[in-house]
């Protein structure tokens, strides 16, 4: 028992360390510098989670996943974007993806990648542009969630746009203490709600840490959301949480199980083979520093896999798209 608890504590501490690195501005500046050594060295590890740097290659890879009967959500990776030209490029990327056949059924993005760091009005305007284009193509948009200081802005934008955009949903973070109360102020019935544990490094007064208490809150929120008529995306890679959800009968009530691409694909496959609707959250682009570090933080033993991925590049071997699925 002591050994198991020590390992859990080690994994929690390692996860916290990885989240600190993800948010460290010095690391992020080093990553985005042209010709970045950091980006070059880590790119083989990132390709496990980020399908491609460019749109055409990414869309080609999606065929492999669709052929295995998975639903797909698409995100062009990036956050905290304050360059007007770059913000417009991000919007154009999503509009271009929506022109592709077959149309991705769901898009996701951070409002900070669409202008929230410039102004709330710009982010809302750009979100409306993408959501309207998605509606015309029969697709949904589910807003991603950000660090605790930005939650009011994200939820406010969702409330503002929801009435005129029935294809708009939102991500909720179970670890935030405020989330239970937030349910009362949000459009939920008939909406796609994506429930995650939460990936950012937040103080204990703001959020629960990883562990049994968070697992129970996640499951309780999932039950509450389906009771309120939400079309719930159970977005977790935690096998214990999914097993408990099955025991509670939740898996028969949720709309889908969602996992991030590259994280425990064999686990998602078992649920697909058992007859559950399963969605892969697939990303592309070059601004993947935060995405990679958060994937490793969610399951720190994957750091060893990341090092193996780096070694494989030097042996002229690469990660196979669809492996494990």
């Amino acid at each position: 028992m002591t050994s198991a608890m020590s390992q859990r504590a080690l994994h929690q501490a390692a996860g916290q360390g990885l989240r600190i690195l993800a948010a460290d501005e010095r690391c992020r500046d080093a990553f985005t510098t042209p010709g970045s050594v950091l980006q070059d060295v880590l790119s083989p590890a990132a390709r496990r989670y980020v399908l491609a740097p460019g749109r055409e290659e990414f869309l080609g890879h999606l065929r492999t996943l669709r052929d295995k009967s998975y639903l797909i959500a698409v995100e062009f990776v990036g956050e905290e974007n304050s360059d007007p030209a770059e913000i417009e490029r991000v919007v154009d990327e999503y509009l271009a993806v929506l022109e592709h056949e077959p149309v991705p059924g769901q898009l996701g993005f951070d409002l900070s990648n669409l202008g929230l760091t410039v102004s709330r009005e710009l982010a809302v305007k750009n979100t409306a542009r993408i959501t309207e284009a998605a509606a015309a193509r029969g697709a949904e948009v589910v807003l991603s969630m950000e660090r605790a200081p930005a939650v009011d802005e994200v939820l406010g934008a969702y409330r503002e746009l929801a009435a005129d955009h029935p294809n708009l949903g939102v991500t909720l973070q179970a670890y935030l203490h405020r989330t239970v109360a937030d349910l009362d102020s949000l459009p939920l019935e008939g909406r796609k709600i994506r429930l995650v544990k939460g990936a950012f490094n937040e103080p204990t007064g703001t959020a629960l840490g990883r562990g049994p208490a968070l697992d129970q809150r996640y499951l309780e929120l999932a039950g509450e959301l389906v009771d309120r008529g939400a079309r719930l995306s159970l977005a977790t890679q935690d096998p214990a949480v999914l097993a408990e959800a099955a025991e509670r009968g939740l898996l028969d009530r949720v709309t889908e199980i969602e996992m991030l691409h590259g994280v425990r694909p064999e686990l998602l496959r078992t649920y697909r083979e058992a007859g559950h609707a399963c969605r892969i959250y697939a990303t592309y682009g070059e601004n993947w520093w935060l995405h990679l570090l958060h994937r490793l933080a969610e399951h720190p033993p994957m750091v060893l896999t990341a090092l193996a991925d780096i070694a494989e590049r030097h042996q002229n071997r690469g990660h196979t798209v669809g492996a494990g699925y």
Side-chain angles (χ1 to χ4, degrees):
M1 178 65 73
T2 302
S3 175
M5 290 303 294
S6 296
Q7 186 176 57
R8 172 181 284 180
L10 177 62
H11 287 176
Q12 288 177 345
Q16 184 178 18
L18 287 161
R19 291 184 182 94
I20 289 170
L21 284 176
D24 191 304
E25 291 187 5
R26 296 168 300 175
C27 293
R28 291 163 68 181
D29 288 345
F31 175 82
T32 55
T33 300
S36 167
V37 173
L38 190 61
Q39 184 171 154
D40 181 59
V41 169
L42 292 178
S43 61
R47 285 301 296 269
R48 179 174 292 273
Y49 309 105
V50 181
L51 273 172
R55 185 195 325 133
E56 292 306 316
E57 182 184 357
F58 170 74
L59 292 171
H61 289 330
L62 289 189
R63 286 195 293 270
T64 301
L65 302 177
R66 283 197 186 93
D67 288 346
K68 294 176 181 283
S69 300
Y70 290 100
L71 302 168
I72 303 293
V74 170
E75 179 181 343
F76 182 55
V77 289
E79 62 150 4
E80 297 182 8
N81 187 359
S82 57
D83 179 350
E86 180 62 19
I87 291 167
E88 188 63 22
R89 186 174 82 87
V90 172
V91 175
D92 288 342
E93 274 294 327
Y94 282 104
L95 297 178
V97 165
L98 286 168
E99 290 300 315
H100 181 72
E101 293 289 352
V103 181
Q106 184 175 304
L107 305 179
F109 47 78
D110 290 336
L111 287 188
S112 65
N113 203 24
L114 265 71
L116 187 61
T117 55
V118 176
S119 72
R120 182 174 180 276
E121 290 74 20
L122 179 61
V124 168
K125 175 186 173 184
N126 286 333
T127 299
R129 289 170 62 192
I130 295 171
T131 305
E132 287 166 6
R137 299 284 281 156
E140 293 188 294
V141 171
V142 178
L143 301 179
S144 297
M145 193 45 75
E146 309 198 36
R147 293 177 177 83
V151 171
D152 280 334
E153 296 283 11
V154 176
L155 295 183
Y158 171 62
R159 281 190 292 265
E160 180 177 340
L161 291 168
D164 294 327
H165 300 87
N167 63 323
L168 182 66
V170 71
T171 301
L172 297 178
Q173 300 174 107
Y175 76 158
L176 293 181
H177 300 317
R178 60 174 290 169
T179 300
V180 175
D182 283 333
L183 299 189
D184 291 332
S185 66
L186 296 173
L188 298 175
E189 187 171 1
R191 298 286 176 161
K192 173 65 74 66
I193 303 296
R194 178 173 174 260
L195 183 63
V196 301
K197 285 188 177 180
F200 301 103
N201 193 41
E202 303 287 2
T204 56
T206 300
L208 286 174
R210 294 296 169 113
L214 176 55
D215 294 349
Q216 289 306 306
R217 181 187 285 175
Y218 183 91
L219 291 164
E220 289 165 5
L221 279 167
E224 180 70 17
L225 284 162
V226 293
D227 284 346
R228 295 189 184 208
R231 294 185 297 113
L232 184 63
S233 180
L234 207 62
T236 178
Q237 289 83 220
D238 189 324
V241 167
L242 287 167
E244 178 66 20
E247 287 186 17
R248 297 186 183 194
L250 273 171
L251 294 191
D252 296 327
R253 303 177 64 202
V254 302
T255 297
E256 64 197 23
I257 298 167
E258 180 198 287
M259 295 189 191
L260 297 156
H261 180 267
V263 182
R264 298 185 176 178
E266 293 86 359
L267 179 62
L268 188 61
R269 188 183 72 235
T270 63
Y271 284 99
R272 177 181 59 79
E273 291 175 345
H276 297 284
C278 292
R279 186 179 298 276
I280 296 174
Y281 196 100
T283 62
Y284 76 102
E286 298 179 347
N287 190 11
W288 44 255
W289 169 255
L290 187 69
H291 189 78
L292 171 62
L293 270 289
H294 279 170
R295 300 297 72 78
L296 300 180
E298 287 165 355
H299 190 54
M302 289 298 291
V303 170
L304 297 177
T305 305
L307 294 172
D309 287 338
I310 292 169
E312 286 188 349
R313 182 176 76 165
H314 290 276
Q315 297 167 6
N316 296 317
R317 297 202 304 268
H319 183 66
T320 302
V321 173
Y325 287 108

